[in-house]
Amino acid sequence: MAKILLVDDSKLIMEFGKSILSNEGHAVSYAQNGGEALEMLSGEKPDLVLLDVVMPGMDGYEVCKRIKADEKTHDIPVIMLTSKDETEDKIKGLNLGAVDYVTKPFDAGELVARVNTQLRVKELHEALQEKNRQLQELANKDGLTNLYNHRYLQEQLLKEIDRAKRYDLTLSFVLVDIDHFKHFNDTYGHQTGDVILKTLGELLLKIVRDSDMAARYGGEEFALILPHTNFTTARETAERLRKTVESYDFEVDNNQLQITISLGLACFPHETIETSKDLVESADKALYTAKNNGRNRVEMYCPE
């Protein structure tokens, strides 16, 4: 069942159209003028609009123009209703974004056919958009951990540091490295290593906020983007993650393994950090310090 808004100043046309489309299982609401139609569209969106061209006050062309200009309603298909059969009038409506025309007085079969055709087109378009969204999501994700990948991380970090500069916000970045990961791969095999990577990715998602972003940086390294986060909060988040991993039993083939992680933290604003590249390099230097200082620890590039 589709929701259809019928806009016409003729009560006869409205009742006739509603009767035809209701018999097809559609839910039909109606408005008698352009202003009323636009007000209804600002609430619940219909699946399709049947719009009379000639109405007192605001005509159908203007209503169509406003529907298509509004980001919230521009994807709603509009079929124009007109008693005119001139090609010029049809072209005008199509140029404004209408998808079809039905000439009044309309034939019931033709109205149903044209409405159902546009509803099917809309359904296919939405399915295609969802498929494209899913494909884009897959392109942005790491296949093993299902975290965001390195490329997408870099894209988002560029946006976040630009936003932090523009609005004078804080931004923190954390690099995470599994300690002695080569030992686990050499001792237990790469399949065990993959389980550890995947499980660590799941732990990262449990620690971070919805506004944060967790990504696989590469190999056994992970990264966190923490928007609106100062040094103190970022340090608390990193330390909480470190302790969680340290105490977690990684179950692989009925074996329980313990791992630790080292973390490097950098924050913006900082006098030596201007770009996303600076932020990453600073976090990497802090991570290197954590490794040199014994691992299983958090080190920061930007002190409070």
Side-chain angles (χ1 to χ4, degrees):
M1 180 183 72
K3 294 180 290 186
I4 298 173
L5 174 61
L6 176 56
V7 187
D8 200 300
D9 59 325
S10 167
K11 289 186 178 181
L12 179 63
I13 290 293
M14 285 195 296
E15 291 299 331
F16 184 45
K18 182 176 181 179
S19 175
I20 294 169
L21 296 171
S22 296
N23 287 338
E24 292 294 313
H26 301 309
V28 183
S29 56
Y30 45 79
Q32 290 186 288
N33 57 65
E36 185 181 348
L38 293 173
E39 184 176 345
M40 292 176 69
L41 285 166
S42 66
E44 188 174 358
K45 286 172 52 177
D47 296 300
L48 182 142
V49 175
L50 286 167
L51 179 60
D52 188 22
V53 170
V54 180
M55 294 183 294
M58 189 187 308
D59 64 19
Y61 295 129
E62 180 62 24
V63 176
C64 182
K65 181 179 178 181
R66 296 192 185 189
I67 290 173
K68 296 302 172 181
D70 190 332
E71 185 177 336
K72 296 178 181 178
T73 58
H74 75 273
D75 60 337
I76 300 174
V78 176
I79 297 178
M80 307 296 282
L81 301 176
T82 180
S83 55
K84 300 179 179 180
D85 200 24
E86 288 83 359
T87 301
E88 185 177 336
D89 293 316
K90 293 181 179 180
I91 291 174
K92 181 177 179 180
L94 293 171
N95 285 338
L96 289 172
V99 295
D100 203 353
Y101 259 95
V102 177
T103 303
K104 298 189 296 183
F106 44 74
D107 175 77
E110 180 187 6
L111 179 66
V112 169
R114 291 184 182 275
V115 165
N116 287 342
T117 294
Q118 295 306 324
L119 289 173
R120 282 196 296 271
V121 170
K122 181 175 184 288
E123 184 179 347
L124 289 171
H125 178 67
E126 290 175 346
L128 179 60
Q129 285 184 314
E130 176 59 21
K131 183 63 68 177
N132 287 337
R133 187 197 65 77
Q134 292 174 1
L135 289 172
Q136 185 61 55
E137 186 76 3
L138 286 172
N140 293 335
K141 291 292 184 72
D142 171 63
L144 176 63
T145 63
N146 202 37
L147 298 179
Y148 288 109
N149 57 30
H150 184 274
R151 176 190 56 80
Y152 189 71
L153 170 80
Q154 295 289 0
E155 291 176 359
Q156 293 305 114
L157 193 56
L158 276 171
K159 294 177 182 177
E160 288 296 342
I161 202 160
D162 285 345
R163 191 157 66 95
K165 287 179 179 180
R166 186 178 305 117
Y167 299 108
D168 195 23
L169 302 173
T170 55
L171 172 66
S172 294
F173 182 74
V174 183
L175 276 177
V176 182
D177 187 87
I178 301 175
D179 296 328
H180 304 295
F181 185 69
K182 185 176 183 301
H183 166 74
F184 284 95
N185 275 338
D186 293 344
T187 305
Y188 301 102
H190 288 280
Q191 288 186 336
T192 296
D194 286 349
V195 173
I196 290 174
L197 291 170
K198 190 171 185 294
T199 306
L200 179 55
E202 293 169 356
L203 292 177
L204 285 172
L205 291 177
K206 290 179 181 178
I207 292 292
V208 300
R209 306 163 301 183
D210 290 341
S211 58
D212 301 331
M213 197 185 95
R216 186 179 179 189
Y217 195 73
E220 68 271 24
E221 285 191 326
F222 295 80
L224 300 176
I225 298 176
L226 309 176
H228 309 284
T229 306
N230 59 23
F231 163 76
T232 302
T233 304
R235 178 65 187 256
E236 290 171 354
T237 300
E239 188 61 32
R240 186 165 68 252
L241 175 60
R242 187 196 66 78
K243 290 179 179 178
T244 299
V245 173
E246 183 183 36
S247 62
Y248 191 83
D249 292 326
F250 288 76
E251 295 187 8
V252 185
D253 296 331
N254 297 321
N255 294 319
Q256 291 187 337
L257 304 177
Q258 274 70 46
I259 70 169
T260 61
I261 56 175
S262 298
L263 303 95
L265 166 65
C267 301
F268 179 87
H270 187 273
E271 59 184 6
T272 65
I273 298 175
E274 285 295 325
T275 67
S276 60
K277 184 173 181 243
D278 295 337
L279 190 61
V280 172
E281 289 178 349
S282 299
D284 193 47
K285 289 176 182 177
L287 177 60
Y288 185 78
T289 301
K291 292 286 189 181
N292 283 345
N293 287 345
R295 295 182 169 85
N296 189 26
R297 59 190 296 117
V298 178
E299 294 286 353
M300 60 286 183
Y301 178 79
C302 44
E304 191 171 18

